[in-house]
Amino acid sequence: MLCVLSLGLVMSCATTAMENEQRIPLPAAELGQEMSIDEALKQRRSIRKFGRDSIVLEDVSQLLWAAQGITSRRGFRTAPSAGALYPLELYLVAGNVTGLSPGVYHYRPKKHDLVLVASGDRRKPLASAALRQDWVRSAPAVLVITGVYQRTMAKYGQRGRRYLHMEVGHAAQNVYLQATARDLGTVMVGAFDDNKVQELLSLPADHEPLGLMPIGHSR
């Protein structure tokens, strides 16, 4: 689709949308945290009961970085990826995050920022789409892991589906351990209506939801 300007010039509507996007820069990732990796592994648990306390933007930044953050000049990330193709796309459903309005946000690893996709608190309908698992609603935020299968399958064929699913596990475990190190809790939710989640979060057609991770302080 094209946008025609009054001067007879033509530019893409996508360019216009980029200029108008609401971008939220994230704090830099904190390195050298006090908890060791072995202690985080020991303490890691799946948490399904969350308190009412909000989480802060620094928590969001650290968890997103742990899942898919850039760690080298060559673009390598915190989680391994077959062929370094990086088919995962992360979204944040924010409801009670200090410094961040309720809404759905897309994480961009290369810029380490968030871009607003849709305004408003979507946690309650997301919990309904997740077979009424209440912890999706009660957590301050939900990290949504989606996958673009074609990025991996273009090189590896049908085997690429398996590689992408392995990558989801790598990223999710990073989130578990980072949450533990920051005195937060999470759980991997795989039971949900794919189509409802995709529609509710206004996801692109090729960003298929694969996991929901509610994030918050354990109760």
Side-chain angles (χ1 to χ4, degrees):
M1 178 172 140
L2 298 177
C3 296
V4 181
L5 303 182
S6 59
L7 296 178
L9 301 176
V10 178
M11 69 177 187
S12 71
C13 286
T15 301
T16 304
M18 286 289 289
E19 292 174 350
N20 295 329
E21 70 186 7
Q22 295 187 38
R23 173 180 173 270
I24 298 90
L26 291 171
E30 300 173 11
L31 304 180
Q33 296 181 68
E34 293 183 2
M35 182 178 289
S36 64
I37 187 67
D38 52 327
E39 186 62 27
L41 286 165
K42 179 182 177 182
Q43 293 189 25
R44 186 219 61 79
R45 294 292 183 272
S46 291
I47 302 299
R48 296 177 176 84
K49 293 183 179 180
F50 300 99
R52 295 185 177 181
D53 292 341
S54 65
I55 61 174
V56 296
L57 200 57
E58 287 78 8
D59 293 327
V60 167
S61 172
Q62 200 72 22
L63 292 167
L64 291 170
W65 177 85
Q68 285 288 283
I70 303 293
T71 57
S72 81
R73 292 182 178 179
R74 296 178 62 185
F76 295 147
R77 301 188 185 182
T78 52
S81 177
L85 296 172
Y86 303 112
L88 302 188
E89 295 286 345
L90 303 184
Y91 290 83
L92 184 79
V93 179
N96 189 15
V97 179
T98 301
L100 193 62
S101 299
V104 179
Y105 298 86
H106 183 210
Y107 175 58
R108 300 191 299 185
K110 291 182 180 179
K111 296 181 179 294
H112 191 57
D113 67 3
L114 294 171
V115 174
L116 180 65
V117 174
S119 299
D121 191 346
R122 306 293 174 95
R123 291 176 298 167
K124 185 175 180 179
L126 184 60
S128 179
L131 311 184
R132 303 189 183 281
Q133 296 179 76
D134 188 60
W135 38 91
V136 175
R137 179 192 61 79
S138 61
V142 182
L143 192 158
V144 181
I145 303 176
T146 78
V148 182
Y149 283 97
Q150 190 56 31
R151 284 186 197 164
T152 304
M153 294 175 67
K155 180 175 182 178
Y156 296 109
Q158 286 300 316
R159 195 75 173 181
R161 297 185 66 87
R162 178 180 297 189
Y163 296 157
L164 190 149
H165 294 160
M166 292 167 62
E167 190 169 337
V168 172
H170 297 319
Q173 179 71 345
N174 283 3
V175 174
Y176 263 112
L177 297 178
Q178 185 67 88
T180 301
R182 294 186 72 85
D183 197 27
L184 297 169
T186 189
V187 61
M188 184 59 154
V189 175
F192 51 82
D193 185 310
D194 295 13
N195 292 332
K196 287 183 179 179
V197 170
Q198 189 131 20
E199 181 179 358
L200 174 66
L201 304 185
S202 301
L203 301 179
D206 60 347
H207 290 203
E208 299 188 35
L210 299 170
L212 313 178
M213 299 190 75
I215 305 285
H217 295 280
S218 59
R219 187 176 62 184

